[in-house]
């Protein structure tokens, strides 16, 4: 008896118009404010965004040790995506130059002699500067989402709205006319979200901190000086900096391996002027010295106290504790932070743990770069970098916090000239000491 043929199942192909309509029909409210009362800060500390943020800061701190910003050796790769992201800030700097404000130091004309007339003249000029900054902010908001869309790959276009909102909130508040660590935190959300959706890969971590973040600092410092922005959450002489914090943290991480100067030399003008373009911390100190009058002990008490510590890892630990307790616990700052899908306010999984980065070690990526350089290969070849990314990603998770030690006190070589044999030998020595409990 012949078997009946099974009815063939016809696969339904959904029309493209229906797919587009369903995609745009999804409810999406973008990044929104989630912290409205002080008790919400407890939920913030257990959120996905908090864990992702601290994890990203720690990974970057490990990756940039001993790496200079303007290295002639090419110590870190710069991908095509990174170059497009840097182009966003080139465009914003052009906008700032085209809307140059009025210098606050020379706003009194020679013909005005009466004190009352001088006061009125200053108020008029100040209003002109305020309107110029608000005009810049409106122009930035009109073009920022288009700039983000041009920098992202086409398959990541669904995240343009959230990423653009994080970036738009990173340039100060045009209503209050201020800038502070909350706006800096919004930019960190932007960077962290780029790594979460894999627009940037782990190999891009040094370039994100030393190139892209430096472009951002240059842009906001131009806004601070050109438009006279107030410091948000200003705490007087006891604060580390009126505007920034993370460049001090990452700047200390840079100096944790093979530093060219010690903490006690940080505030010497000859030192920070020499290294201001190579190390974030030296650049921050140079900017403070240019923008304030008097000694560091007077206007930057915390910055002055750093010079009393004996090593850069101790400086990093102190700044890291200060960032957790003083910055990420401030309700006044957190209530202005927006959370979206990429940087979510939902509770983090119970399995996720926060670990403090162990500095003074060569990172895994740095070891791989040195090995390829000693073998005569080009460590910054972009196609090979992408091929090695999947192979080293699992290794990074296992060895990030147990990278091999290179004792600078016993050997006066830099991180770029240490040999593979020395790394392997020291790696076995460290492993034996760890197992024996020494």
């Amino acid at each position: 008896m012949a078997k009946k043929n099974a009815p063939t199942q016809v696969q339904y192909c959904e029309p493209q118009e229906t797919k587009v309509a369903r995609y745009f029909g999804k409810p999406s409210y973008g990044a929104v404010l989630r912290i409205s009362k002080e008790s919400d800060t407890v939920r913030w500390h257990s959120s996905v965004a908090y864990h992702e943020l601290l994890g990203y800061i720690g990974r970057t701190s490990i990756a940039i040790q001993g790496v200079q910003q303007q290295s002639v050796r090419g110590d870190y790769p710069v991908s095509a995506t990174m170059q497009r992201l840097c182009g966003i800030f080139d465009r914003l700097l052009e906008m700032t130059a085209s809307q140059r404000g009025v210098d606050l130091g020379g706003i009194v004309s020679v013909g005005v002699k009466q004190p009352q007339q001088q006061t009125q003249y200053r108020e008029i000029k100040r209003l002109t500067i305020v309107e110029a900054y608000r005009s810049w902010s409106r122009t930035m908001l009109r073009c920022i989402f288009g700039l983000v869309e041009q920098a992202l790959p086409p398959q990541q276009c669904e995240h343009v709205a959230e990423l653009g909102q994080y970036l738009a909130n990173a340039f100060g508040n045009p209503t209050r006319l201020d800038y502070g660590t909350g706006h800096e935190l919004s930019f960190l959300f932007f960077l962290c979200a780029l790594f979460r959706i894999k627009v940037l890969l782990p190999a891009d971590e040094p370039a994100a901190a030393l190139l892209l973040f430096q472009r951002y600092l240059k842009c906001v410092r131009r806004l601070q000086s050109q438009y006279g922005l107030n410091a948000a959450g200003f705490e007087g002489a006891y604060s580390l900096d009126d505007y920034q914090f993370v460049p001090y943290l990452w700047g200390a991480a840079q100096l944790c391996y093979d530093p060219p100067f010690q903490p006690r030399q940080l505030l010497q003008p000859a030192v920070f002027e020499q290294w201001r373009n190579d190390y974030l911390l030296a650049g921050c100190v140079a900017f403070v010295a240019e923008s304030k009058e008097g000694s560091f002990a007077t206007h930057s008490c915390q910055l002055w106290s750093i010079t009393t510590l004996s090593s850069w890892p101790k400086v990093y630990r102190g700044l890291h504790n200060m960032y957790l307790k003083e910055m990420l616990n401030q309700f006044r700052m957190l209530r202005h932070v927006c959370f979206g899908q990429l940087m979510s306010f939902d509770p983090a999984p119970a399995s996720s743990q926060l670990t403090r980065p162990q500095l003074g070690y060569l990172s895994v990526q740095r070891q791989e770069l040195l090995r390829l350089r000693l073998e005569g290969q080009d460590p910054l070849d972009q196609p090979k970098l992408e091929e090695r990314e999947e192979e080293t990603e699992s290794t990074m998770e296992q060895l990030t916090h147990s990278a091999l030690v290179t004792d600078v006190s016993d050997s006066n070589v830099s991180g770029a000239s240490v040999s593979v044999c020395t790394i392997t030998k020291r790696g076995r020595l460290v492993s034996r000491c760890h197992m024996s409990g020494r």
Side-chain angles (χ1 to χ4, degrees):
M1 185 174 179
K3 295 182 179 180
K4 295 182 179 180
N5 294 330
T8 58
Q9 186 176 3
V10 179
Q11 295 182 353
Y12 173 70
C13 183
E14 189 177 18
Q16 185 69 21
E17 293 79 4
T18 306
K19 293 181 180 180
V20 173
R22 189 178 71 253
Y23 172 78
F24 286 102
K26 294 180 180 179
S28 177
Y29 304 101
V32 295
L33 301 175
R34 298 296 301 271
I35 299 179
S36 58
K37 52 185 180 295
E38 292 193 12
S39 60
D40 290 337
T41 56
V42 179
R43 298 176 57 195
W44 150 246
H45 292 151
S46 60
S47 66
V48 173
Y50 184 82
H51 283 67
E52 290 291 338
L53 174 68
L54 293 186
Y56 169 64
I57 291 177
R59 292 192 304 270
T60 302
S61 300
I62 294 174
I64 64 176
Q65 293 180 97
V67 182
Q68 298 182 6
Q69 294 172 241
Q70 298 182 353
S71 177
V72 295
R73 300 179 305 229
D75 285 343
Y76 54 88
V78 180
S79 62
T81 303
M82 182 64 64
Q83 294 176 357
R84 291 195 298 269
L85 290 170
C86 290
I88 296 177
F89 297 95
D90 295 338
R91 178 72 182 95
L92 294 177
L93 286 172
E94 292 177 1
M95 291 166 45
T96 308
S98 63
Q99 297 184 2
R100 186 170 300 277
V102 183
D103 186 9
L104 288 176
I107 58 177
V108 181
S109 64
V110 180
V112 179
K113 297 182 180 181
Q114 298 298 327
Q116 184 177 2
Q117 293 178 340
Q118 291 181 358
T119 303
Q120 294 176 354
Y121 190 77
R122 287 179 182 273
E123 292 177 355
I124 293 174
K125 290 300 182 182
R126 178 59 184 169
L127 290 176
T128 304
I129 295 174
V130 168
E131 184 56 35
Y133 171 63
R134 288 174 175 169
S135 175
W136 182 91
S137 298
R138 290 191 295 267
T139 306
M140 180 270 296
L141 286 174
R142 284 196 296 267
C143 68
I144 195 68
F145 293 94
L147 295 175
V148 172
E149 183 181 6
Q150 295 174 8
L152 294 183
Q155 61 271 22
Q156 300 291 353
C157 63
E158 61 179 312
H159 302 295
V160 169
E162 184 174 348
L163 291 171
Q165 191 168 352
Y166 292 145
L167 186 57
N169 292 335
F171 299 101
N173 189 292
T175 303
R176 300 190 306 268
L177 303 173
D178 61 6
Y179 174 90
T181 51
H183 304 101
E184 179 187 77
L185 179 62
S186 184
F187 183 72
L188 289 181
F189 273 28
F190 173 73
L191 291 179
C192 191
L194 289 174
F195 282 96
R196 291 208 67 190
I197 60 178
K198 299 187 183 302
V199 170
L200 296 179
L201 303 176
D204 295 314
E205 288 173 353
L210 304 180
L211 185 62
L212 185 58
F213 188 73
Q214 179 61 28
R215 296 286 183 92
Y216 167 72
L217 282 180
K218 183 179 179 181
C219 184
V220 295
R221 284 171 178 170
R222 179 77 63 84
L223 296 177
Q224 295 161 15
S225 58
Q226 182 166 313
Y227 300 115
L229 299 183
N230 300 319
F234 180 65
E235 299 179 2
Y238 296 97
S239 62
L240 181 69
D241 189 285
D242 293 350
Y243 300 103
Q244 316 291 157
F245 194 101
V246 173
Y248 291 88
L249 188 64
W250 280 345
Q254 267 185 289
L255 295 164
C256 284
Y257 182 82
D258 193 23
F261 56 91
Q262 298 301 319
R264 64 178 181 273
Q265 303 172 292
L266 175 63
L267 302 184
Q268 298 178 7
V271 173
F272 62 72
E273 287 294 341
Q274 178 183 358
W275 300 105
R276 65 183 303 173
N277 295 324
D278 296 318
Y279 292 94
L280 288 170
L281 187 56
C284 291
V285 173
F287 181 76
V288 171
E290 293 174 352
S291 57
K292 293 186 177 182
E293 297 180 355
S295 62
F296 285 93
T298 303
H299 56 68
S300 301
C301 179
Q302 291 286 359
L303 188 57
W304 175 75
S305 65
I306 286 178
T307 59
T308 62
L309 299 178
S310 59
S311 64
W312 289 114
K314 290 184 178 180
V315 173
Y316 181 88
R317 287 195 295 269
L319 292 175
H320 191 268
N321 292 332
M322 184 179 178
Y323 189 67
L324 295 180
K325 296 178 181 179
E326 301 295 334
M327 299 300 168
L328 298 185
N329 270 336
Q330 280 191 20
F331 170 71
R332 292 180 300 172
M333 179 192 74
L334 295 174
R335 64 181 178 177
H336 301 294
V337 178
C338 295
F339 299 86
Q341 180 183 3
L342 301 179
M343 301 300 291
S344 174
F345 198 70
D346 297 334
S351 58
S352 61
Q353 297 180 355
L354 292 176
T355 57
R356 190 183 301 272
Q358 301 296 324
L359 302 182
Y361 305 86
L362 278 176
S363 66
V364 176
Q365 293 179 353
R366 182 73 171 165
Q367 295 175 41
E368 181 69 12
L369 185 144
L370 297 178
R371 183 185 66 82
L372 294 174
R373 182 175 293 162
L374 291 173
E375 292 178 357
Q377 302 181 23
D378 184 9
L380 306 183
D381 189 5
Q382 293 297 330
K384 293 183 179 180
L385 276 175
E386 296 177 357
E387 293 177 3
R388 293 195 303 267
E389 196 62 47
E390 296 181 357
E391 301 177 0
T392 59
E393 190 170 3
S394 59
T395 308
M396 281 288 296
E397 296 178 357
Q398 300 174 3
L399 300 180
T400 296
H401 301 297
S402 60
L404 306 182
V405 176
T406 300
D407 192 354
V408 182
S409 61
D410 295 338
S411 176
N412 293 326
V413 296
S414 64
S417 59
V418 66
S419 64
V420 176
C421 298
T422 304
I423 293 176
T424 307
K425 181 178 178 180
R426 292 182 183 274
R428 290 197 296 267
L429 179 60
V430 170
S431 300
R432 288 199 302 271
C433 293
H434 178 72
M435 294 176 64
S436 61
R438 296 180 183 178

